[in-house]
């Protein structure tokens, strides 16, 4: 699989200075953590789930979570588990393209070993489990159950803990909770692929819900938690983890109170005013702004609950030609001693030592999402992806 793999090869050649790399579910954890991109959630109750997975893979989805937790009613869990087993068996019998990276979001630790056993040979399609409301107290049991499932199935299985508990949100318990989470995920580091943020649960604790013209960063109590999570768990010194962006809840047309946030000029240059209007009508302009703020705040990838959100996340994850040029300049071997230089684009200062970690992260993202040609922006990537 590869990002933008659903686009024709000749179109990719026109869009990319360096094309996204190919990878499989068995690739290195460091590559897969970056490659998750827009992780699409789907209730495990869907009766044609195998068809849905195949269809979304054909549209460029790279990772999916099949949910047994908050997206379904408590009374549906047993039926949803049975449906998952049937749908995995169906998917395993099909010939064709490799499915996305698939994860199951469970409710309790016991479900992990039980489902791994019930999936049988079709577990080869499973990349791991999403662990809800993760704290040190709850997390150890989840991760120990994952280790058992991995050993009995012979399949490498990853964990993606979701940080969403009230203890993490509340100021008086946040530091202790973060320290406990850090101890737990560090102990099981080889199994933790990425950490996910449950911002909907954060808002719920205070009876909040952000409207479509506001991002998670406009809700200060939520933004403070994101900052503390990245501060503690997303460091670039080798101790950190990939932390993914929060879910964007909106996909319907709604009456607007505020002016659209999507600048007109990039779309006029790309002759895509119709695309701009469609994005605005479906509240995607707010999503685009939040994606940019995610990356500026140290997050990579995003939880998605609608297929229309996937391509914007991926298009804005492509490394621009300017970013790539800066990162390559900073990481040249002859500049290992430091120093400062004017950028190739002659519009900024590149300081080797302070910008090194940024450059390394940028080149990892470039490997997975590709590098756009000098005259290609996210408008062209969005347009090509939609027509692909």
């Amino acid at each position: 699989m590869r990002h933008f793999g659903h686009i024709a090869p000749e179109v990719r050649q026109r869009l990319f200075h360096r094309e996204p790399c190919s990878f499989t579910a068995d690739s290195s954890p460091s590559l897969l953590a970056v490659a998750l991109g827009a992780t699409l959630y789907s209730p495990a109750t869907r009766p044609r789930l195998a068809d849905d997975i195949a269809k979304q893979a054909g549209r460029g989805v790279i990772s999916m979570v099949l949910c047994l937790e908050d997206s379904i009613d408590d009374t549906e869990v047993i039926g949803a588990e049975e449906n998952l087993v049937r749908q995995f068996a169906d998917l395993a019998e099909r010939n064709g393209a490799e499915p996305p990276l698939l994860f199951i979001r469970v409710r309790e630790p016991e479900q992990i070993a039980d489902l791994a056993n019930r999936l049988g040979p079709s577990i080869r399609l499973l990349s791991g489990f999403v662990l809800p409301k993760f704290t040190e107290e709850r997390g150890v049991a989840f991760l120990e159950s994952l280790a058992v499932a991995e050993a009995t199935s012979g399949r490498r299985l990853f964990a993606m803990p979701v940080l969403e508990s009230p203890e993490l949100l509340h100021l008086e318990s946040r530091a202790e909770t973060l320290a406990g989470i850090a101890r737990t995920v560090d102990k099981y580091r080889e199994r933790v692929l990425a950490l996910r943020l449950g911002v909907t649960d954060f808002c719920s604790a205070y009876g909040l819900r952000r409207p479509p013209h506001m991002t998670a960063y406009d809700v200060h109590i939520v933004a403070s938690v994101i900052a503390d999570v990245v501060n503690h768990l997303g460091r670039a010194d080798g101790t950190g983890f990939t932390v993914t962006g929060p879910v964007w809840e909106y996909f319907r047309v709604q009456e607007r109170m505020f002016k659209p946030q999507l600048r007109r000029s990039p779309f006029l240059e790309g002759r895509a005013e119709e695309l701009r209007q469609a994005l605005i009508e479906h509240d995607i302009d707010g999503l685009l702004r939040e994606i940019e703020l995610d990356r500026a705040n140290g997050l990579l990838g995003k939880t998605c609950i609608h297929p229309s959100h996937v391509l914007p996340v991926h298009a804005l994850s492509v490394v621009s030609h300017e970013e790539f040029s800066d990162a390559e300049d900073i990481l040249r071997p002859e500049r290992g001693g430091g120093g400062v230089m004017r950028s190739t684009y002659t519009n900024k200062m590149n300081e080797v030592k302070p910008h090194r970690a940024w450059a390394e992260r940028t080149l990892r993202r470039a490997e997975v999402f590709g590098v756009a040609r000098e005259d290609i922006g996210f408008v062209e990537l969005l347009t090509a992806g939609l027509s692909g």
Side-chain angles (χ1 to χ4, degrees), residues 53-122:
I53 291 169
K55 181 171 71 174
Q56 295 307 327
R59 293 178 174 177
V61 171
I62 293 296
S63 61
M64 290 186 69
V65 172
L66 314 175
C67 186
L68 293 168
E69 208 228 0
D70 284 349
S71 69
I72 67 173
D73 190 89
D74 295 347
T75 61
E76 296 180 301
V77 175
I78 293 176
E81 290 178 346
E82 293 171 351
N83 186 54
L84 271 184
V85 173
R86 287 194 303 270
Q87 300 293 337
F88 265 81
D90 180 353
L91 204 59
E93 291 176 357
R94 303 186 183 197
N95 296 319
E98 187 177 6
L101 304 171
L102 297 177
F103 301 84
I104 297 174
R105 178 168 171 158
V106 293
R107 294 182 172 218
E108 302 297 337
E110 296 77 17
Q111 288 178 292
I112 293 177
D114 178 57
L115 284 168
N117 182 58
R118 291 162 65 184
L119 286 172
S122 67

Side-chain angles (χ1 to χ4, degrees), residues 169-203:
L169 180 62
H170 296 156
L171 188 60
E172 67 273 16
S173 54
R174 186 181 304 172
E176 182 180 349
T177 302
L178 271 173
I181 291 171
R183 285 192 296 267
T184 306
V185 294
D186 186 61
K187 180 180 178 181
Y188 294 89
R189 178 174 290 273
E190 72 281 0
R191 291 193 173 89
V192 176
L193 187 62
L195 304 176
R196 313 200 72 89
L197 288 165
V199 164
T200 301
D201 279 42
F202 290 160
C203 290

Side-chain angles (χ1 to χ4, degrees), residues 108-110 112 131-148 159 161 179-188 191-192:
E108 302 297 337
E110 296 77 17
I112 293 177
L131 315 179
K133 299 170 179 61
F134 192 92
T135 61
E136 183 175 30
E137 183 179 0
R138 283 175 53 85
V140 170
F142 276 115
L143 290 164
E144 287 181 350
S145 184
L146 180 71
V148 171
I181 291 171
R183 285 192 296 267
T184 306
V185 294
D186 186 61
K187 180 180 178 181
Y188 294 89
R191 291 193 173 89
V192 176

Side-chain angles (χ1 to χ4, degrees), residues 40 209 212 247-254 278-284 287 304-309:
L40 183 63
R209 186 174 191 179
V247 68
W248 182 258
E249 298 179 352
Y250 295 95
F251 51 88
R252 295 191 185 96
V253 177
Q254 300 192 26
L279 295 175
I280 290 170
E281 288 175 356
H282 290 83
D283 290 316
I284 302 297
L287 168 63
C304 295
I305 45 83
H306 195 272
S308 65
H309 299 168

Side-chain angles (χ1 to χ4, degrees), residues 220-294:
H220 289 187
I221 194 166
V222 170
S224 72
V225 184
I226 294 174
D228 287 347
V229 168
V230 174
N231 191 331
H232 208 108
L233 297 166
R235 299 176 186 179
D237 60 1
T239 67
F241 295 83
T242 294
V243 182
T244 65
V247 68
W248 182 258
E249 298 179 352
Y250 295 95
F251 51 88
R252 295 191 185 96
V253 177
Q254 300 192 26
E255 182 180 358
R256 283 183 169 272
M257 292 179 59
F258 293 91
K259 182 179 177 181
Q261 303 172 87
L262 206 54
R263 289 189 302 114
R264 185 181 298 272
S265 55
F267 292 87
L268 294 177
E269 293 163 6
R271 297 185 299 280
E273 176 61 20
E274 289 183 8
L275 173 60
R276 177 182 180 272
Q277 192 60 40
L279 295 175
I280 290 170
E281 288 175 356
H282 290 83
D283 290 316
I284 302 297
D285 55 327
L287 168 63
L288 295 174
R289 181 166 175 261
E290 186 165 284
I291 295 167
E292 291 280 24
L293 288 169
D294 285 341

